[in-house]
PDB file of all heavy atoms in Angstrom:
ATOM      1  N   THR Y   1      34.464   8.649 -24.115  1.00  0.00           N
ATOM      2  CA  THR Y   1      33.906   8.913 -25.445  1.00  0.00           C
ATOM      3  C   THR Y   1      34.939   8.812 -26.566  1.00  0.00           C
ATOM      4  O   THR Y   1      34.578   8.868 -27.733  1.00  0.00           O
ATOM      5  CB  THR Y   1      33.275  10.326 -25.492  1.00  0.00           C
ATOM      6  OG1 THR Y   1      34.293  11.297 -25.258  1.00  0.00           O
ATOM      7  CG2 THR Y   1      32.165  10.461 -24.470  1.00  0.00           C
ATOM      8  N   MET Y   2      36.210   8.652 -26.228  1.00  0.00           N
ATOM      9  CA  MET Y   2      37.260   8.617 -27.249  1.00  0.00           C
ATOM     10  C   MET Y   2      37.465   7.208 -27.792  1.00  0.00           C
ATOM     11  O   MET Y   2      37.366   6.233 -27.060  1.00  0.00           O
ATOM     12  CB  MET Y   2      38.582   9.127 -26.666  1.00  0.00           C
ATOM     13  CG  MET Y   2      38.546  10.588 -26.315  1.00  0.00           C
ATOM     14  SD  MET Y   2      40.019  11.119 -25.436  1.00  0.00           S
ATOM     15  CE  MET Y   2      41.296  10.818 -26.629  1.00  0.00           C
ATOM     16  N   VAL Y   3      37.780   7.128 -29.084  1.00  0.00           N
ATOM     17  CA  VAL Y   3      38.032   5.852 -29.729  1.00  0.00           C
ATOM     18  C   VAL Y   3      39.452   5.364 -29.448  1.00  0.00           C
ATOM     19  O   VAL Y   3      39.683   4.187 -29.210  1.00  0.00           O
ATOM     20  CB  VAL Y   3      37.798   5.957 -31.257  1.00  0.00           C
ATOM     21  CG1 VAL Y   3      38.144   4.660 -31.960  1.00  0.00           C
ATOM     22  CG2 VAL Y   3      36.368   6.364 -31.534  1.00  0.00           C
ATOM     23  N   LYS Y   4      40.421   6.281 -29.480  1.00  0.00           N
ATOM     24  CA  LYS Y   4      41.812   5.876 -29.252  1.00  0.00           C
ATOM     25  C   LYS Y   4      42.463   6.792 -28.211  1.00  0.00           C
ATOM     26  O   LYS Y   4      41.991   7.887 -27.935  1.00  0.00           O
ATOM     27  CB  LYS Y   4      42.614   5.887 -30.545  1.00  0.00           C
ATOM     28  CG  LYS Y   4      42.788   7.255 -31.155  1.00  0.00           C
ATOM     29  CD  LYS Y   4      43.651   7.175 -32.391  1.00  0.00           C
ATOM     30  CE  LYS Y   4      44.040   8.598 -32.800  1.00  0.00           C
ATOM     31  NZ  LYS Y   4      45.110   8.643 -33.720  1.00  0.00           N
ATOM     32  N   ASN Y   5      43.574   6.327 -27.660  1.00  0.00           N
ATOM     33  CA  ASN Y   5      44.330   7.107 -26.682  1.00  0.00           C
ATOM     34  C   ASN Y   5      44.976   8.320 -27.343  1.00  0.00           C
ATOM     35  O   ASN Y   5      45.295   8.287 -28.529  1.00  0.00           O
ATOM     36  CB  ASN Y   5      45.429   6.254 -26.049  1.00  0.00           C
ATOM     37  CG  ASN Y   5      44.876   5.151 -25.188  1.00  0.00           C
ATOM     38  OD1 ASN Y   5      43.712   5.125 -24.850  1.00  0.00           O
ATOM     39  ND2 ASN Y   5      45.729   4.220 -24.825  1.00  0.00           N
ATOM     40  N   GLU Y   6      45.179   9.356 -26.557  1.00  0.00           N
ATOM     41  CA  GLU Y   6      45.832  10.571 -27.031  1.00  0.00           C
ATOM     42  C   GLU Y   6      47.145  10.752 -26.273  1.00  0.00           C
ATOM     43  O   GLU Y   6      47.152  10.736 -25.043  1.00  0.00           O
ATOM     44  CB  GLU Y   6      44.898  11.741 -26.751  1.00  0.00           C
ATOM     45  CG  GLU Y   6      45.090  12.903 -27.654  1.00  0.00           C
ATOM     46  CD  GLU Y   6      43.933  13.873 -27.503  1.00  0.00           C
ATOM     47  OE1 GLU Y   6      43.962  14.650 -26.534  1.00  0.00           O
ATOM     48  OE2 GLU Y   6      43.024  13.820 -28.336  1.00  0.00           O
ATOM     49  N   ASP Y   7      48.252  10.918 -26.987  1.00  0.00           N
ATOM     50  CA  ASP Y   7      49.552  11.118 -26.349  1.00  0.00           C
ATOM     51  C   ASP Y   7      49.636  12.530 -25.777  1.00  0.00           C
ATOM     52  O   ASP Y   7      49.122  13.480 -26.375  1.00  0.00           O
ATOM     53  CB  ASP Y   7      50.687  10.922 -27.353  1.00  0.00           C
ATOM     54  CG  ASP Y   7      50.785   9.488 -27.844  1.00  0.00           C
ATOM     55  OD1 ASP Y   7      50.329   8.588 -27.111  1.00  0.00           O
ATOM     56  OD2 ASP Y   7      51.318   9.271 -28.942  1.00  0.00           O
ATOM     57  N   ALA Y   8      50.300  12.659 -24.617  1.00  0.00           N
ATOM     58  CA  ALA Y   8      50.424  13.970 -23.979  1.00  0.00           C
ATOM     59  C   ALA Y   8      51.651  14.003 -23.079  1.00  0.00           C
ATOM     60  O   ALA Y   8      51.947  13.025 -22.398  1.00  0.00           O
ATOM     61  CB  ALA Y   8      49.182  14.269 -23.148  1.00  0.00           C
ATOM     62  N   PRO Y   9      52.369  15.140 -23.046  1.00  0.00           N
ATOM     63  CA  PRO Y   9      53.430  15.317 -22.057  1.00  0.00           C
ATOM     64  C   PRO Y   9      52.813  15.378 -20.657  1.00  0.00           C
ATOM     65  O   PRO Y   9      51.751  15.953 -20.474  1.00  0.00           O
ATOM     66  CB  PRO Y   9      54.061  16.659 -22.430  1.00  0.00           C
ATOM     67  CG  PRO Y   9      53.577  16.966 -23.807  1.00  0.00           C
ATOM     68  CD  PRO Y   9      52.278  16.275 -23.966  1.00  0.00           C
ATOM     69  N   VAL Y  10      53.486  14.775 -19.661  1.00  0.00           N
ATOM     70  CA  VAL Y  10      52.981  14.726 -18.280  1.00  0.00           C
ATOM     71  C   VAL Y  10      54.069  15.251 -17.352  1.00  0.00           C
ATOM     72  O   VAL Y  10      55.254  14.999 -17.565  1.00  0.00           O
ATOM     73  CB  VAL Y  10      52.643  13.265 -17.877  1.00  0.00           C
ATOM     74  CG1 VAL Y  10      52.127  13.205 -16.456  1.00  0.00           C
ATOM     75  CG2 VAL Y  10      51.646  12.651 -18.828  1.00  0.00           C
ATOM     76  N   GLY Y  11      53.657  15.954 -16.313  1.00  0.00           N
ATOM     77  CA  GLY Y  11      54.603  16.435 -15.316  1.00  0.00           C
ATOM     78  C   GLY Y  11      53.972  16.426 -13.937  1.00  0.00           C
ATOM     79  O   GLY Y  11      52.750  16.506 -13.811  1.00  0.00           O
ATOM     80  N   ALA Y  12      54.797  16.304 -12.902  1.00  0.00           N
ATOM     81  CA  ALA Y  12      54.281  16.298 -11.528  1.00  0.00           C
ATOM     82  C   ALA Y  12      55.354  16.766 -10.550  1.00  0.00           C
ATOM     83  O   ALA Y  12      56.537  16.463 -10.722  1.00  0.00           O
ATOM     84  CB  ALA Y  12      53.805  14.904 -11.138  1.00  0.00           C
ATOM     85  N   LEU Y  13      54.919  17.493  -9.533  1.00  0.00           N
ATOM     86  CA  LEU Y  13      55.758  17.814  -8.377  1.00  0.00           C
ATOM     87  C   LEU Y  13      55.411  16.809  -7.296  1.00  0.00           C
ATOM     88  O   LEU Y  13      54.259  16.364  -7.219  1.00  0.00           O
ATOM     89  CB  LEU Y  13      55.458  19.232  -7.871  1.00  0.00           C
ATOM     90  CG  LEU Y  13      55.732  20.359  -8.842  1.00  0.00           C
ATOM     91  CD1 LEU Y  13      55.256  21.687  -8.246  1.00  0.00           C
ATOM     92  CD2 LEU Y  13      57.205  20.428  -9.190  1.00  0.00           C
ATOM     93  N   LYS Y  14      56.372  16.442  -6.456  1.00  0.00           N
ATOM     94  CA  LYS Y  14      56.085  15.455  -5.424  1.00  0.00           C
ATOM     95  C   LYS Y  14      56.809  15.777  -4.132  1.00  0.00           C
ATOM     96  O   LYS Y  14      57.850  16.433  -4.120  1.00  0.00           O
ATOM     97  CB  LYS Y  14      56.424  14.046  -5.895  1.00  0.00           C
ATOM     98  CG  LYS Y  14      57.870  13.844  -6.298  1.00  0.00           C
ATOM     99  CD  LYS Y  14      58.074  12.457  -6.875  1.00  0.00           C
ATOM    100  CE  LYS Y  14      59.460  12.294  -7.451  1.00  0.00           C
ATOM    101  NZ  LYS Y  14      59.686  10.966  -7.985  1.00  0.00           N
ATOM    102  N   ALA Y  15      56.216  15.303  -3.046  1.00  0.00           N
ATOM    103  CA  ALA Y  15      56.817  15.386  -1.718  1.00  0.00           C
ATOM    104  C   ALA Y  15      56.537  14.051  -1.047  1.00  0.00           C
ATOM    105  O   ALA Y  15      55.445  13.491  -1.182  1.00  0.00           O
ATOM    106  CB  ALA Y  15      56.216  16.530  -0.913  1.00  0.00           C
ATOM    107  N   GLY Y  16      57.532  13.526  -0.347  1.00  0.00           N
ATOM    108  CA  GLY Y  16      57.348  12.225   0.270  1.00  0.00           C
ATOM    109  C   GLY Y  16      58.177  12.069   1.524  1.00  0.00           C
ATOM    110  O   GLY Y  16      58.992  12.925   1.876  1.00  0.00           O
ATOM    111  N   TYR Y  17      57.934  10.953   2.174  1.00  0.00           N
ATOM    112  CA  TYR Y  17      58.678  10.628   3.386  1.00  0.00           C
ATOM    113  C   TYR Y  17      58.938   9.128   3.405  1.00  0.00           C
ATOM    114  O   TYR Y  17      57.999   8.318   3.335  1.00  0.00           O
ATOM    115  CB  TYR Y  17      57.890  11.039   4.634  1.00  0.00           C
ATOM    116  CG  TYR Y  17      58.675  10.807   5.900  1.00  0.00           C
ATOM    117  CD1 TYR Y  17      59.691  11.686   6.273  1.00  0.00           C
ATOM    118  CD2 TYR Y  17      58.433   9.703   6.701  1.00  0.00           C
ATOM    119  CE1 TYR Y  17      60.435  11.466   7.420  1.00  0.00           C
ATOM    120  CE2 TYR Y  17      59.166   9.475   7.855  1.00  0.00           C
ATOM    121  CZ  TYR Y  17      60.162  10.360   8.206  1.00  0.00           C
ATOM    122  OH  TYR Y  17      60.912  10.147   9.338  1.00  0.00           O
ATOM    123  N   ASP Y  18      60.219   8.749   3.449  1.00  0.00           N
ATOM    124  CA  ASP Y  18      60.602   7.335   3.584  1.00  0.00           C
ATOM    125  C   ASP Y  18      60.638   6.999   5.063  1.00  0.00           C
ATOM    126  O   ASP Y  18      61.504   7.480   5.799  1.00  0.00           O
ATOM    127  CB  ASP Y  18      61.974   7.083   2.949  1.00  0.00           C
ATOM    128  CG  ASP Y  18      61.922   7.103   1.438  1.00  0.00           C
ATOM    129  OD1 ASP Y  18      60.842   6.821   0.875  1.00  0.00           O
ATOM    130  OD2 ASP Y  18      62.949   7.404   0.809  1.00  0.00           O
ATOM    131  N   ILE Y  19      59.693   6.185   5.499  1.00  0.00           N
ATOM    132  CA  ILE Y  19      59.617   5.786   6.899  1.00  0.00           C
ATOM    133  C   ILE Y  19      60.825   4.927   7.263  1.00  0.00           C
ATOM    134  O   ILE Y  19      61.407   5.072   8.330  1.00  0.00           O
ATOM    135  CB  ILE Y  19      58.284   5.063   7.169  1.00  0.00           C
ATOM    136  CG1 ILE Y  19      57.137   6.053   6.940  1.00  0.00           C
ATOM    137  CG2 ILE Y  19      58.242   4.465   8.562  1.00  0.00           C
ATOM    138  CD1 ILE Y  19      55.785   5.435   6.826  1.00  0.00           C
ATOM    139  N   ASN Y  20      61.189   4.046   6.355  1.00  0.00           N
ATOM    140  CA  ASN Y  20      62.416   3.252   6.470  1.00  0.00           C
ATOM    141  C   ASN Y  20      62.857   2.894   5.051  1.00  0.00           C
ATOM    142  O   ASN Y  20      62.297   3.421   4.088  1.00  0.00           O
ATOM    143  CB  ASN Y  20      62.204   2.013   7.371  1.00  0.00           C
ATOM    144  CG  ASN Y  20      61.093   1.115   6.872  1.00  0.00           C
ATOM    145  OD1 ASN Y  20      60.932   0.886   5.681  1.00  0.00           O
ATOM    146  ND2 ASN Y  20      60.287   0.613   7.799  1.00  0.00           N
ATOM    147  N   GLU Y  21      63.832   2.015   4.906  1.00  0.00           N
ATOM    148  CA  GLU Y  21      64.326   1.716   3.559  1.00  0.00           C
ATOM    149  C   GLU Y  21      63.354   0.872   2.731  1.00  0.00           C
ATOM    150  O   GLU Y  21      63.559   0.693   1.530  1.00  0.00           O
ATOM    151  CB  GLU Y  21      65.699   1.043   3.619  1.00  0.00           C
ATOM    152  CG  GLU Y  21      65.710  -0.319   4.257  1.00  0.00           C
ATOM    153  CD  GLU Y  21      67.114  -0.917   4.310  1.00  0.00           C
ATOM    154  OE1 GLU Y  21      67.938  -0.627   3.428  1.00  0.00           O
ATOM    155  OE2 GLU Y  21      67.375  -1.681   5.247  1.00  0.00           O
ATOM    156  N   TYR Y  22      62.280   0.374   3.354  1.00  0.00           N
ATOM    157  CA  TYR Y  22      61.317  -0.480   2.659  1.00  0.00           C
ATOM    158  C   TYR Y  22      59.948   0.144   2.440  1.00  0.00           C
ATOM    159  O   TYR Y  22      59.167  -0.346   1.627  1.00  0.00           O
ATOM    160  CB  TYR Y  22      61.131  -1.800   3.420  1.00  0.00           C
ATOM    161  CG  TYR Y  22      62.417  -2.562   3.562  1.00  0.00           C
ATOM    162  CD1 TYR Y  22      63.080  -2.616   4.775  1.00  0.00           C
ATOM    163  CD2 TYR Y  22      62.984  -3.216   2.478  1.00  0.00           C
ATOM    164  CE1 TYR Y  22      64.275  -3.308   4.911  1.00  0.00           C
ATOM    165  CE2 TYR Y  22      64.177  -3.908   2.601  1.00  0.00           C
ATOM    166  CZ  TYR Y  22      64.813  -3.947   3.816  1.00  0.00           C
ATOM    167  OH  TYR Y  22      66.000  -4.625   3.932  1.00  0.00           O
ATOM    168  N   PHE Y  23      59.608   1.197   3.159  1.00  0.00           N
ATOM    169  CA  PHE Y  23      58.259   1.759   3.064  1.00  0.00           C
ATOM    170  C   PHE Y  23      58.280   3.277   3.166  1.00  0.00           C
ATOM    171  O   PHE Y  23      59.035   3.846   3.947  1.00  0.00           O
ATOM    172  CB  PHE Y  23      57.368   1.182   4.171  1.00  0.00           C
ATOM    173  CG  PHE Y  23      55.937   1.603   4.070  1.00  0.00           C
ATOM    174  CD1 PHE Y  23      55.105   1.074   3.090  1.00  0.00           C
ATOM    175  CD2 PHE Y  23      55.428   2.561   4.926  1.00  0.00           C
ATOM    176  CE1 PHE Y  23      53.795   1.481   2.981  1.00  0.00           C
ATOM    177  CE2 PHE Y  23      54.107   2.968   4.828  1.00  0.00           C
ATOM    178  CZ  PHE Y  23      53.289   2.425   3.847  1.00  0.00           C
ATOM    179  N   GLY Y  24      57.430   3.929   2.368  1.00  0.00           N
ATOM    180  CA  GLY Y  24      57.301   5.378   2.408  1.00  0.00           C
ATOM    181  C   GLY Y  24      55.920   5.809   1.961  1.00  0.00           C
ATOM    182  O   GLY Y  24      55.083   4.985   1.582  1.00  0.00           O
ATOM    183  N   VAL Y  25      55.667   7.109   2.020  1.00  0.00           N
ATOM    184  CA  VAL Y  25      54.418   7.701   1.542  1.00  0.00           C
ATOM    185  C   VAL Y  25      54.788   8.885   0.645  1.00  0.00           C
ATOM    186  O   VAL Y  25      55.829   9.497   0.813  1.00  0.00           O
ATOM    187  CB  VAL Y  25      53.504   8.150   2.704  1.00  0.00           C
ATOM    188  CG1 VAL Y  25      52.978   6.945   3.465  1.00  0.00           C
ATOM    189  CG2 VAL Y  25      54.230   9.092   3.651  1.00  0.00           C
ATOM    190  N   GLU Y  26      53.906   9.188  -0.304  1.00  0.00           N
ATOM    191  CA  GLU Y  26      54.219  10.238  -1.266  1.00  0.00           C
ATOM    192  C   GLU Y  26      52.946  10.919  -1.739  1.00  0.00           C
ATOM    193  O   GLU Y  26      51.901  10.284  -1.875  1.00  0.00           O
ATOM    194  CB  GLU Y  26      54.945   9.603  -2.456  1.00  0.00           C
ATOM    195  CG  GLU Y  26      55.532  10.584  -3.419  1.00  0.00           C
ATOM    196  CD  GLU Y  26      56.435   9.897  -4.434  1.00  0.00           C
ATOM    197  OE1 GLU Y  26      57.530   9.430  -4.051  1.00  0.00           O
ATOM    198  OE2 GLU Y  26      56.033   9.830  -5.612  1.00  0.00           O
ATOM    199  N   MET Y  27      53.046  12.226  -2.002  1.00  0.00           N
ATOM    200  CA  MET Y  27      51.947  13.004  -2.561  1.00  0.00           C
ATOM    201  C   MET Y  27      52.452  13.689  -3.820  1.00  0.00           C
ATOM    202  O   MET Y  27      53.589  14.178  -3.862  1.00  0.00           O
ATOM    203  CB  MET Y  27      51.488  14.065  -1.564  1.00  0.00           C
ATOM    204  CG  MET Y  27      50.327  14.886  -2.052  1.00  0.00           C
ATOM    205  SD  MET Y  27      49.801  16.030  -0.777  1.00  0.00           S
ATOM    206  CE  MET Y  27      49.639  17.498  -1.757  1.00  0.00           C
ATOM    207  N   ARG Y  28      51.612  13.729  -4.864  1.00  0.00           N
ATOM    208  CA  ARG Y  28      51.992  14.356  -6.128  1.00  0.00           C
ATOM    209  C   ARG Y  28      50.900  15.300  -6.607  1.00  0.00           C
ATOM    210  O   ARG Y  28      49.718  15.070  -6.388  1.00  0.00           O
ATOM    211  CB  ARG Y  28      52.218  13.298  -7.208  1.00  0.00           C
ATOM    212  CG  ARG Y  28      53.352  12.372  -6.903  1.00  0.00           C
ATOM    213  CD  ARG Y  28      53.557  11.394  -8.016  1.00  0.00           C
ATOM    214  NE  ARG Y  28      54.629  10.473  -7.690  1.00  0.00           N
ATOM    215  CZ  ARG Y  28      55.109   9.574  -8.521  1.00  0.00           C
ATOM    216  NH1 ARG Y  28      54.616   9.482  -9.740  1.00  0.00           N
ATOM    217  NH2 ARG Y  28      56.078   8.777  -8.146  1.00  0.00           N
ATOM    218  N   TYR Y  29      51.343  16.342  -7.292  1.00  0.00           N
ATOM    219  CA  TYR Y  29      50.427  17.259  -7.963  1.00  0.00           C
ATOM    220  C   TYR Y  29      50.965  17.462  -9.375  1.00  0.00           C
ATOM    221  O   TYR Y  29      52.150  17.760  -9.556  1.00  0.00           O
ATOM    222  CB  TYR Y  29      50.365  18.611  -7.238  1.00  0.00           C
ATOM    223  CG  TYR Y  29      49.569  19.609  -8.029  1.00  0.00           C
ATOM    224  CD1 TYR Y  29      48.186  19.561  -8.032  1.00  0.00           C
ATOM    225  CD2 TYR Y  29      50.207  20.548  -8.822  1.00  0.00           C
ATOM    226  CE1 TYR Y  29      47.453  20.441  -8.796  1.00  0.00           C
ATOM    227  CE2 TYR Y  29      49.476  21.434  -9.586  1.00  0.00           C
ATOM    228  CZ  TYR Y  29      48.103  21.377  -9.567  1.00  0.00           C
ATOM    229  OH  TYR Y  29      47.369  22.242 -10.330  1.00  0.00           O
ATOM    230  N   GLY Y  30      50.111  17.268 -10.382  1.00  0.00           N
ATOM    231  CA  GLY Y  30      50.609  17.398 -11.745  1.00  0.00           C
ATOM    232  C   GLY Y  30      49.519  17.625 -12.764  1.00  0.00           C
ATOM    233  O   GLY Y  30      48.362  17.885 -12.434  1.00  0.00           O
ATOM    234  N   GLY Y  31      49.912  17.487 -14.024  1.00  0.00           N
ATOM    235  CA  GLY Y  31      48.986  17.680 -15.121  1.00  0.00           C
ATOM    236  C   GLY Y  31      49.612  17.263 -16.434  1.00  0.00           C
ATOM    237  O   GLY Y  31      50.724  16.753 -16.477  1.00  0.00           O
ATOM    238  N   VAL Y  32      48.857  17.488 -17.503  1.00  0.00           N
ATOM    239  CA  VAL Y  32      49.333  17.193 -18.855  1.00  0.00           C
ATOM    240  C   VAL Y  32      49.388  18.486 -19.644  1.00  0.00           C
ATOM    241  O   VAL Y  32      48.701  19.454 -19.325  1.00  0.00           O
ATOM    242  CB  VAL Y  32      48.430  16.162 -19.577  1.00  0.00           C
ATOM    243  CG1 VAL Y  32      48.421  14.841 -18.847  1.00  0.00           C
ATOM    244  CG2 VAL Y  32      47.018  16.688 -19.746  1.00  0.00           C
TER     245      VAL Y  32
END
């Protein structure tokens, strides 16, 4: 419903696992 974008500060906590030097998985939780 908005005409233009609204600027907002963003933050997130993350946890991940690098399976090797080329591939990994990650989960994040955050908000604005």
Side-chain angles (χ1 to χ4, degrees):
T1 62
M2 293 172 62
V3 176
K4 65 177 192 165
N5 293 347
E6 206 168 80
D7 294 335
V10 180
L13 298 174
K14 59 186 172 179
Y17 184 77
D18 287 334
I19 296 165
N20 58 40
E21 65 181 329
Y22 301 106
F23 186 73
V25 292
E26 190 170 290
M27 182 177 134
R28 297 182 182 186
Y29 172 78
V32 298

